[in-house]
Every structure is written in C-alpha cells, then in structure tokens.
Amino acid sequence: MDLEPRPWAGDLEEAVSVFVRHRGRLFGIAYRVLGSVVEAEDVVQEVWLRWQKTDRSAVLSPVAFLSSTTTRLAINVAQSARVRRETYIGPWLPEPIDTSADPEVGAQRAEALELALLLVLEKLSPVERAAYVLREAFDYGYPEIADMLHISPVYVRKIVSRARKHLSDGQRESVDTAEHRRLLNAFVSAARTGDVASLEALLAPDATSLSDGSGLRACARIPVLGPARIAKLATYPRLWRDAEPRLVEANGLTGVVCYRDGEPATFLTVAASKDGIHKVMWVFTPSKIAAFLASRSRCAAASGRPGGTAMTRPRRPTSHGHGCHTSPGCPVMSA
C-alpha cells in the first residue's frame, strides 16, 4: 500500500471551498497574533491571494499551507506594528471583536481572546506570541508549529513554556462570565449616576484604567492608577451626558458601546478577579470602534440575528461595513 502523502488535486472551485471552510481559523490565528480586526482581515485577504496564485498541485495539505501562510504573514505584520506602537499616543489597546456568533473566533479553544490577555500577549515577541496562540488556542502539535515557524520542535517547546510563564506572572484568575457582566453593569450604573463610593468598592486596590484614544480624542494619555482616581475619571460628566450605553459581546465577555446622537462614541469593558475589577479599558479611537461594529455586523449577518442586546431599547448600528478589504467575488467577502 502506498502511504506516501499525495499532492492535493483540487480545482479552483474546490480551492475556494477549502478556503471558506477554514477562513474562521485563519482569521482567529491572525487576530490573536495582531490584536487588530482590520490587520487580521488584511492578512486573511493576502492568504487568499497567495492561495489563488500558488501551484496547488504541490500542496500536500491545504489547511497546513493556509495556516502556515497566515501565521508567517501575521508575524511580519506584528513586527511592523510593534514599531508603530512605540510612537502610539497614549495607551494602546487591542481592537475588540464581536464574538456573539463565533465565541472562539475560529479556535478550538477560547484561549488568548479576552482583551486583557491580548494586551499581555503584546509583551511577547511576535514569534513567541504566534507559537503560544497556535499551541494554546488551536491545539497544534509542536512539530506542526515548528514547520510553520521554521524552527526546531525543541525551540517551540521552549518558547511556548516561556510564554506560559510570562503570561501567568501577569495574569489573575478571572471571574466567570455572569459575574463579569454583573460587575460591568454595576460599574456603568455607578459611573453614570456619579456614585463614587460604589465605584471604589467595585475596584481592586491596584486597579488600572487604560484609555485608547490615539491622540484623536480628549482622554487620559497615561494609565490611571487606583480606585479613587479611576472613580473620578469614570464619573466625568462629559462621558455620560446624552450617552446611550448598549451591552455587546466582545472577545467572549460583556462590553458596552456608548452611543451619542445615534453614533458610537466609546467602547468599554473590564477585567475582573475575586478582588474586584482590576483593569478598566476604554476605547475612544474611532477606527477601532468602527472595526468592532464591522465585525458585529458581519457576525449578525452570518447568524441571521439583529446586532446585539442593549441596556436600553436597541437600535441597529449605523455602520454596516464588514472590515474586510476585498475585491468582488472574493470568498473572504462572501463567506
């Protein structure tokens, strides 16, 4: 019996089918490595272009080819992004993504998806981050990861172990999703009513607030530390004047998008442990909020459901883009 691996013999139609079938996984890999919906979509689009142009008769495993190409392209983009973020004005936060239709964004497990963990992943090198994501979120074997990254399996084990240790040093045991939602609701309620005492009671003693505005909006350009200062920031009247907070699902947890005059103005979520809320994350950067709404519209279209739950009676978001820079007929657009 011939047990030698054979080249893949699919035609273009089958190539499209394979790509569409694995697109969620490819996007999930790129998003976790990059922390950006838009950059991840760009990587997936580039993978599609390469998959079209490659000699597919020489490909032994389409999914291995697609995953490997995605990983290497994401690492390249991450290396460039790292340089850009050194000059970023104020704290940088990952772009949130809607996970209501696909809670794991293409992964076998939901690891490395919460915003707070994606933020910690930024402390790793792009190669370390990719190795950790492939192993922990997608359950690739060490030899497979080694092939993708062009390094030895021994080195893969070493960097994944190092990444786990690094992340465990900076992480706390999170509360469950129901408690997270309760804490976020309580935070927003107290902030909107100016209840400083209740806010301080919700926050851990070493809590930090990060505001991502990229210099485009008037917001804190340095981390705000401690319950008293965070409570003062969170009750700032202009944050909530005429604001309509709507609950959304972002990165597997509850988030809030605040609308003003029907337009999205702020995204907010928190990270919490048994000690209370220890990280408050505000996104004011318009492009990041737009990217979230684009991912939300795409998920709603895929699931046939309206665009989410609300703290008040919901209206559909005004943005209907899908965040993918594609050409007509591309399976990324039609998937």
Side-chain angles (χ1 to χ4, degrees):
M1 182 182 294
D2 182 10
L3 297 179
E4 287 296 313
R6 295 181 178 277
W8 188 69
D11 58 14
L12 182 58
E13 184 176 350
E14 190 172 349
V16 171
S17 176
V18 167
F19 183 86
V20 170
R21 187 162 66 249
H22 295 292
R23 184 196 178 284
R25 169 183 291 247
L26 307 182
F27 177 83
I29 291 170
Y31 175 70
R32 283 168 173 81
V33 173
L34 295 167
S36 167
V37 176
V38 174
E39 289 175 346
E41 290 284 12
D42 287 344
V43 164
V44 173
Q45 169 64 2
E46 178 62 26
V47 173
W48 162 244
L49 294 175
R50 294 192 182 196
W51 179 231
Q52 278 184 296
K53 295 175 182 177
T54 196
D55 177 8
R56 291 184 297 278
S57 66
V59 174
L60 299 179
S61 167
V63 67
F65 173 89
L66 293 169
S67 299
S68 179
T69 304
T70 299
T71 300
R72 290 199 293 270
L73 285 172
I75 289 172
N76 291 342
V77 174
Q79 289 167 338
S80 299
R82 200 168 194 173
V83 174
R84 292 197 305 274
R85 287 167 195 168
E86 289 176 359
T87 58
Y88 197 82
I89 300 173
W92 177 91
L93 290 173
E95 288 175 6
I97 185 172
D98 183 279
T99 50
S100 57
D102 181 2
E104 299 181 357
V105 194
Q108 291 178 231
R109 299 196 296 270
E111 275 81 356
L113 186 57
E114 294 179 16
L115 278 190
L117 182 53
L118 286 173
L119 188 59
V120 177
L121 279 174
E122 282 290 311
K123 297 178 181 179
L124 304 176
S125 73
V127 171
E128 289 174 326
R129 193 152 69 243
Y132 177 86
V133 163
L134 291 169
R135 180 62 185 167
E136 296 301 310
F138 294 88
D139 205 28
Y140 282 97
Y142 291 109
E144 293 175 287
I145 299 171
D147 286 343
M148 291 185 195
L149 302 181
H150 301 312
I151 56 180
S152 72
V154 172
Y155 187 55
V156 172
R157 285 181 180 274
K158 181 178 179 180
I159 62 177
V160 170
S161 175
R162 190 166 60 210
R164 283 180 185 144
K165 182 179 185 307
H166 190 90
L167 293 175
S168 65
D169 290 343
Q171 282 296 100
R172 315 181 194 204
E173 186 174 350
S174 299
V175 296
D176 62 30
T177 54
E179 177 63 4
H180 178 274
R181 185 186 182 103
R182 185 194 72 79
L183 287 168
L184 180 61
N185 266 318
F187 182 93
V188 172
S189 178
R192 293 181 76 188
T193 57
D195 189 346
V196 171
S198 293
L199 271 178
E200 291 187 18
L202 292 169
L203 295 162
D206 59 347
T208 304
S209 175
L210 301 172
S211 299
D212 184 325
S214 186
L216 300 178
R217 298 279 179 95
C219 62
R221 294 191 177 186
I222 59 173
V224 177
L225 310 178
R229 290 180 177 178
I230 294 173
K232 183 178 179 181
L233 168 72
T235 53
Y236 185 55
R238 283 188 60 185
L239 274 175
W240 306 106
R241 188 178 299 137
D242 301 322
E244 181 191 353
R246 306 181 193 178
L247 289 182
V248 295
E249 183 176 315
N251 297 71
L253 295 172
T254 303
V256 172
V257 175
C258 288
Y259 286 75
R260 190 171 288 109
D261 297 325
E263 295 297 322
T266 311
F267 171 88
L268 166 67
T269 192
V270 300
S273 67
K274 61 182 177 62
D275 297 322
I277 295 171
H278 59 84
K279 197 173 295 294
V280 183
M281 292 166 281
W282 310 82
V283 176
F284 296 95
T285 303
S287 61
K288 292 190 176 185
I289 298 173
F292 172 76
L293 294 177
S295 74
R296 197 166 176 232
S297 299
R298 183 176 57 243
C299 285
S303 62
R305 293 183 286 113
T309 327
M311 301 177 80
T312 58
R313 185 172 180 80
R315 294 193 299 270
R316 283 177 182 265
T318 55
S319 171
H320 298 288
H322 53 55
C324 177
H325 307 293
T326 58
S327 55
C330 169
V332 177
M333 181 180 288
S334 57

